[in-house]
Amino acid sequence: MGQRQGRHRRLRRRALRRAGAAAGAGLLLGRAGVGRPRPAVGLEPGRPLGDRAVRRPGLEGRAVDQPRHRDDGRAHAARRLHPPREADRGGPRLRRRARLLRAAAQRRQGRRPGARAGEHPYAQRNLYTTYDITGAVHAGANAVGLWLGDGYGPTFSPYGFRWTGPKQAILLLDVAFTDGSHQSIVTDPSWTWATGPITADDLYAGETYDARLERPGWDQPGNASTGWSAVRAVAAPSATLTAATLPPIRVAATRPPVKVSQPQPGTYVYDFGQNIAGWPRLRVQGPAGTTVRLRTAEEVQANGMLDTTTNRNAASTDAYTLAGTGTVETYEPRFTYHGFRYVEVTGFPGTPAASSLDARVVHAAVPSTGAFTSSDPLLNQIWQNNRWAILNNSMSIPTDNPVRDERTPPGMDVQAYHDASIREFGMGGFYANYLLDMPPGTALPNDAGNAQQPDMGGDQVVLAWALYEQYGDRDTLAATYPAMQRFVDTNAANVPGYIWTTGFGDWCPPDLGPNANGGQGNPSAGSCTSEVSIVNTALSYRQAHTVAKAATALGQAADAARYTQLAENIKQAFNARFLNPDGAGYGSGRQTTSVLPLAFGLVPDANVTAVGARLVDTVLNRNGGHLDTGIFGTRYLMDALARIGRVDVAMTVLDQTTYPGFGYEIGRGATTPWEEWTYASSMETHDHAMFAGINASLYTQLAGIQPTGPGYASLTVDPRVPAGLQHVAASIDTVRGPVASSWTVTGQQIALDVTVPVGAAATVHVPNFGRGDATVTPSAGATQVSATGTETVYTVGSGAWHFTGAVAPTPSPALPGAWPRCATETGTCAFTGTQTVAYGAAGQYRYAALTGGTACGNRVFGDPLPNVSKACYLIAPPPANTTWTRCASETGTCAFAGSATVAYGASGQFRFATLTGGTACGNAVFGDPAPNTAKACYLAGPPPGTTTWTPCAAETRTCAFTGTREVAFGAAGQYAYRRITAGTPCDNATFGDPIPGTPKSCYVQ
């Protein structure tokens, strides 16, 4: 745990007394930054002990005219400290005309205005914050005071930006009087310091507060100076000072407990019903010297006591010693925060009530901009849990978790979830500040070896572009662009073949071994490093492609061409190295190996269908409909499946309630996503944002909202409507106003409502399967661009639009074949007599006529489709009025294009052969399955196998797809089959008429 040391310090100063009215006052307090060089000094208590206060009383008279904004370093110097908080923790109190500017090293807090600062690279930038404090300045005497705390203790993570110097602060109070005169009060040797009631504080360990040591009125004018000591000026941590632009850290909500229990005498456990970042607030009355301890944790044991496993070495304990005032005393810590759902209370005098404790929710003051709901309650809870995790890990910087002894900037995590956070919240200023602290290629302390890794160090490249897309922030993109170039150029030079072999990869996929223990896990569960080479090479492609887009946006045409070519070179190297010889998968075949190539556009167009089919097979069969992904695979899982029209498979994954998956976690009571998919593992907290990235796909795929111009100047609404989901509604408050997409399916009809902000234009894709026309209201201002057998596309301007269309019939594994599955691979297909058995998957099958059952495996049939889970199917014999189409009588010619499976025989006795380009129908080809009986030939489609037949177009429309697909045309069990490349008309001219007089449809497999 972090060692507690020293005493909290207070600093104070009397200000000058003057008569008259003040029109405005401002106060500056600072941290670390880049700016104009200035000579600088800082203020430090005279000896390096812990809890101290520094004060300067004074300032009488006239109040203040609006002061000029200070960004010139006039406040001398500043060191950044961990965020101060105001007495009521509710954020800075801003008045109209007076300003306070301040800077400090370590944590600081002032009653006015007080705002939490946070972790920061102190050697890189010194920041100050400005507040309007006109309302706090009054006629008569005034005083200014600061609290300084330890903040990050000596055991703070070596990968965090920790201040290691002495406690020091800098402040400028700028007063403009109504008579036009000015007065500035600055930190100088006239300030004094004294210890206060906070006897220990540490970010991990917690805070200890002894109310008997309080100095009432210490920050008020006229307070006695007994016991106060002189301060001394010290050198500034940097010669430059700049204004802070990051949002303040504030108390966003206060939560009452949902349950209070007493698992053992004198120990009370409060359950706040939600995993949060923040601290508890205590109300207690009792004798002086009584100490109440508040210990936090995410979980409880079966006996009701805290389970502090995920705290690791963080003590996470606050202690309050009562002053014994005879009234209710209220305490909440100033210089620490915790990640928790539960609080253990011990030492309470008497029996605490539910109202004795509440929980203060704390995070960066970012507004909520995203909203999502659906007809799927589990999906809604996943969305909500992920939002909580993002907020709990947004302080002054993104953190990895708020619970254990880390809380450091996690570049890899942010890369996996920033697409979600910029939609859910107004993160423009937050991430712009992060990019100033950590531009691309910046190493965390003691972690220089990972600065150039595409997974850990490359986040900032794509983040700068994401801010441009989401907020239209061209300034941040332009400022970050040189570092983006250096990062990508350095990696291209250092990895000349473009294939990465180092890094972390798809961090923390599920443990599928015995340590998983059905999801409970154990201290040995988990192996987080996964698919390093494929993941980092794919990420390097995306980063090069992103720099090319940034160059185009910034008018750098030559750069755009160069980085486009670099991205293409990486793509070629990626496929040469990882695409398997069958062209249907990458590397080991684990889900992420296909997810990233499909989502990033790395798969050659001719291979998209095969790679997609393999991914679907892997998800549904090898993994039983569950995910098998780490942070990057999970982020892009729905995007990859949407690329091949299989969002229904993504919903199958998200709706799982067994291990592994979000639903399993939620079933165990999770209110934020876990670090690993098991409950317990070798490295575990239950509040990690790194898996929250899939929230982005709820907006971009299910609702279909995607910017196509910076800041949504133009956008696309192209919702994906998976079978079984009846309703989705999502909105994003963009810089231009709200964008919204809401759809509802009733039977085969869909109603789609779209809102486009002022000044924007949208392209709207309305699902419209069949021959009917889509509608739009109002019709004026909407232009129909195209119509196919599956959708109608419109362009519209700003306003609210209502569309109607039709959804496709539900995909089904029973259409259009009727081949019952008898066994999965390695199982036994049991039957009596002689049967024809098909073995394979995804349109690739081997056939055999066998007697009395068979083992279902490669040893019997060979391997028609390597590295894919297969199954065995019994083939029901014709007649042609089921799924077999008669193509010729005996001695005739069975004509067809391409390859097809042909059955020859009669009366239940058939021989089968897979032939190409047609065949003679006779014994010479097939042998004689039924001697002395007139026979015929029949064409058969492959069994549905492990994929589904997905509707692609109604009759007379176009069935559009890329690559080569198996297409069935027909209805009511009567189908004609063809293997077709790059789409096809869905009509009799192409397929013949398998069922005359009946409306038909096309299906693809």
Side-chain angles (χ1 to χ4, degrees):
M1 72 180 67
Q3 177 184 353
R4 303 182 183 188
Q5 63 175 3
R7 296 280 299 278
H8 176 269
R9 305 172 184 178
R10 291 174 174 170
L11 296 93
R12 68 179 185 178
R13 184 186 189 277
R14 290 187 178 87
L16 298 178
R17 294 172 176 266
R18 292 190 65 175
L27 184 63
L28 171 147
L29 299 114
R31 293 176 298 176
V34 290
R36 295 175 231 169
R38 302 285 296 185
V41 294
L43 184 71
E44 180 190 30
R47 59 189 178 90
L49 295 180
D51 168 19
R52 301 182 181 179
V54 184
R55 68 178 185 177
R56 183 173 189 310
L59 182 61
E60 270 194 25
R62 318 197 261 165
V64 256
D65 201 359
Q66 180 68 37
R68 297 181 303 276
H69 179 68
R70 297 284 184 192
D71 62 358
D72 58 1
R74 176 175 173 177
H76 305 305
R79 298 204 187 208
R80 172 207 174 263
L81 63 129
H82 209 275
R85 22 184 123 107
E86 64 275 46
D88 65 357
R89 312 299 198 281
R93 296 178 177 178
L94 302 177
R95 302 286 183 177
R96 210 162 64 103
R97 310 215 50 197
R99 294 190 313 151
L100 176 149
L101 302 92
R102 70 178 180 184
Q106 294 297 16
R107 293 192 166 194
R108 64 173 192 265
Q109 194 238 341
R111 293 192 180 176
R112 290 262 188 184
R116 261 186 152 319
E119 188 178 340
H120 182 77
Y122 304 94
Q124 184 173 310
R125 297 196 299 151
N126 296 294
L127 305 181
Y128 69 83
T129 309
T130 306
Y131 302 98
D132 182 338
I133 61 163
T134 303
V137 178
H138 53 270
N142 291 266
V144 179
L146 293 171
W147 298 64
L148 297 181
D150 291 320
Y152 298 89
T155 60
F156 182 60
S157 169
Y159 305 118
F161 298 114
R162 177 183 169 215
W163 172 254
T164 57
K167 297 180 182 67
Q168 54 187 257
I170 185 170
L171 176 147
L172 164 66
L173 176 61
D174 188 17
V175 186
F177 295 95
T178 53
D179 63 2
S181 61
H182 246 273
Q183 180 180 4
S184 293
I185 297 169
V186 299
T187 44
D188 60 28
S190 67
W191 286 63
T192 56
W193 72 269
T195 58
I198 299 175
T199 60
D201 67 275
D202 182 280
L203 187 68
Y204 300 152
E207 181 180 286
T208 301
Y209 189 101
D210 189 342
R212 296 171 300 179
L213 303 179
E214 289 179 343
R215 296 172 177 265
W218 72 273
D219 56 353
Q220 300 299 314
N223 186 267
S225 295
T226 304
W228 289 79
S229 303
V231 300
R232 62 186 177 90
V234 295
S238 161
T240 57
L241 191 66
T242 193
T245 58
L246 71 163
I249 301 171
R250 292 179 176 165
V251 173
T254 301
R255 296 182 66 91
V258 298
K259 179 183 178 182
V260 182
S261 60
Q262 187 180 10
Q264 66 182 35
T267 299
Y268 302 89
V269 174
Y270 284 69
D271 177 3
F272 291 99
Q274 173 64 51
N275 217 4
I276 69 164
W279 53 80
R281 180 172 62 180
L282 173 70
R283 299 176 184 86
V284 60
Q285 182 175 342
T290 302
T291 298
V292 181
R293 287 181 171 79
L294 312 173
R295 187 169 65 141
T296 64
E298 295 184 288
E299 303 289 351
V300 291
Q301 303 174 57
N303 63 6
M305 297 292 287
L306 289 193
D307 180 353
T308 60
T309 302
T310 61
N311 290 0
R312 203 162 66 181
N313 294 322
S316 302
T317 302
D318 304 316
Y320 177 73
T321 300
L322 278 71
T325 62
T327 60
V328 173
E329 300 176 38
T330 299
Y331 164 73
E332 53 185 311
R334 287 173 169 79
F335 296 110
T336 191
Y337 80 98
H338 315 292
F340 66 98
R341 172 175 173 171
Y342 300 93
V343 179
E344 174 192 88
V345 179
T346 56
F348 195 93
T351 302
S355 59
S356 298
L357 202 71
D358 52 27
R360 306 280 262 170
V361 179
V362 180
H363 52 72
V366 293
S368 176
T369 55
F372 175 86
T373 188
S374 75
S375 56
D376 186 331
L378 179 56
L379 186 65
N380 297 341
Q381 189 63 54
I382 292 170
W383 171 77
Q384 190 67 258
N385 282 17
N386 289 340
R387 279 173 58 93
W388 271 105
I390 292 169
L391 287 175
N392 291 345
N393 286 285
S394 298
M395 292 297 177
S396 60
I397 54 168
T399 61
D400 51 0
N401 75 89
V403 182
R404 65 172 178 242
D405 47 337
E406 284 185 334
R407 311 181 208 183
T408 55
M412 184 166 59
D413 299 17
V414 177
Q415 186 165 194
Y417 75 78
H418 72 243
D419 286 335
S421 58
I422 61 176
R423 288 166 170 82
E424 299 288 6
F425 306 104
M427 302 293 283
F430 180 89
Y431 281 138
N433 177 78
Y434 174 57
L435 287 170
L436 290 173
D437 285 344
M438 292 193 66
T442 302
L444 290 173
N446 303 294
D447 198 34
N450 288 315
Q452 284 294 140
Q453 301 282 8
D455 48 17
M456 184 62 81
D459 165 57
Q460 296 90 327
V461 173
V462 290
L463 176 58
W465 176 256
L467 298 183
Y468 176 71
E469 276 196 313
Q470 189 70 18
Y471 305 116
D473 186 355
R474 192 179 188 278
D475 290 346
T476 295
L477 181 65
T480 312
Y481 180 69
M484 296 164 66
Q485 289 181 288
R486 284 194 300 273
F487 183 88
V488 170
D489 289 343
T490 298
N491 284 347
N494 290 346
V495 187
Y498 308 121
I499 302 301
W500 282 80
T501 58
T502 60
F504 299 88
D506 195 29
W507 190 243
C508 293
D511 187 331
L512 301 180
N515 282 329
N517 192 23
Q520 173 60 34
N522 60 45
S524 298
S527 179
C528 275
T529 302
S530 171
E531 302 294 347
V532 169
S533 191
I534 281 181
V535 169
N536 259 358
T537 305
L539 291 175
S540 72
Y541 165 80
R542 184 171 184 243
Q543 289 151 16
H545 185 60
T546 296
V547 177
K549 292 189 294 184
T552 299
L554 297 172
Q556 304 295 323
D559 285 354
R562 181 164 68 89
Y563 290 110
T564 297
Q565 185 58 57
L566 174 60
E568 180 61 26
N569 293 345
I570 297 172
K571 178 177 180 178
Q572 295 298 326
F574 181 89
N575 285 293
R577 177 65 173 271
F578 300 117
L579 184 62
N580 293 329
D582 63 4
Y586 289 88
S588 71
R590 204 167 184 179
Q591 288 180 23
T592 296
T593 64
S594 293
V595 165
L596 295 192
L598 284 168
F600 293 172
L602 279 163
V603 183
D605 290 345
N607 298 88
V608 168
T609 298
V611 172
R614 179 74 55 82
L615 174 61
V616 169
D617 175 77
T618 300
V619 172
L620 296 182
N621 293 281
R622 183 190 298 185
N623 300 123
H626 289 78
L627 55 76
D628 181 29
T629 49
I631 59 176
F632 294 112
T634 302
R635 159 63 188 95
Y636 294 105
L637 179 64
M638 185 177 287
D639 293 2
L641 289 165
R643 172 86 188 278
I644 59 169
R646 296 307 304 273
V647 174
D648 60 302
V649 176
M651 290 304 303
T652 296
V653 169
L654 293 176
D655 279 334
Q656 295 291 342
T657 57
T658 54
Y659 175 82
F662 292 107
Y664 173 75
E665 296 177 2
I666 290 168
R668 294 290 301 267
T671 59
T672 47
W674 300 345
E675 181 175 17
E676 299 205 39
W677 296 106
T678 52
Y679 181 88
S681 71
S682 58
M683 180 179 62
E684 187 77 50
T685 73
H686 289 169
D687 193 354
H688 257 66
M690 65 187 192
F691 282 110
I694 198 166
N695 272 27
S697 300
L698 307 186
Y699 293 94
T700 62
Q701 303 301 338
L702 293 183
I705 301 171
Q706 299 204 48
T708 54
Y712 292 85
S714 59
L715 61 135
T716 295
V717 178
D718 185 9
R720 307 305 173 93
V721 184
L725 196 61
Q726 282 76 47
H727 174 67
V728 161
S731 64
I732 303 172
D733 290 335
T734 76
V735 292
R736 284 177 166 76
V739 172
S741 169
S742 172
W743 54 260
T744 300
V745 173
T746 305
Q748 294 295 112
Q749 301 303 306
I750 184 170
L752 171 64
D753 291 284
V754 173
T755 301
V756 181
V758 173
T763 300
V764 181
H765 296 247
V766 183
N768 192 31
F769 185 90
R771 287 174 248 182
D773 293 326
T775 67
V776 55
T777 306
S779 57
T783 302
Q784 181 174 313
V785 176
S786 64
T788 68
T790 57
E791 68 177 12
T792 303
V793 180
Y794 296 88
T795 56
V796 297
S798 61
W801 305 89
H802 178 75
F803 303 89
T804 63
V807 295
T810 303
S812 167
L815 285 173
W819 301 53
R821 188 165 73 173
C822 63
T824 56
E825 187 174 1
T826 73
T828 298
C829 179
F831 53 86
T832 59
T834 299
Q835 296 276 2
T836 298
V837 183
Y839 170 70
Q844 302 295 318
Y845 295 89
R846 297 281 176 83
Y847 300 84
L850 302 166
T851 302
T854 182
C856 183
N858 296 342
R859 289 188 177 182
V860 176
F861 298 87
D863 192 352
L865 193 58
N867 302 317
V868 170
S869 299
K870 294 169 279 290
C872 284
Y873 302 82
L874 292 175
I875 300 177
N881 61 0
T882 58
T883 59
W884 295 79
T885 302
R886 181 172 175 142
C887 63
S889 299
E890 187 175 0
T891 74
T893 298
C894 179
F896 52 87
S899 296
T901 298
V902 184
Y904 171 69
S907 302
Q909 302 296 315
F910 291 88
R911 297 282 177 83
F912 298 83
T914 300
L915 302 166
T916 301
T919 182
C921 182
N923 296 344
V925 176
F926 296 89
D928 192 351
N932 304 315
T933 301
K935 295 170 280 289
C937 283
Y938 300 82
L939 289 176
T946 56
T947 59
T948 61
W949 290 88
T950 303
C952 68
E955 188 174 0
T956 74
R957 297 301 181 100
T958 297
C959 179
F961 52 84
T962 59
T964 300
R965 306 287 288 270
E966 197 75 35
V967 184
F969 172 68
Q974 302 295 315
Y975 292 90
Y977 301 85
R978 289 192 63 185
R979 193 166 182 80
I980 297 174
T981 300
T984 180
C986 183
D987 55 24
N988 296 340
T990 303
F991 294 89
D993 191 351
I995 181 167
T998 301
K1000 293 168 281 291
S1001 296
C1002 282
Y1003 299 78
V1004 294
Q1005 183 185 98

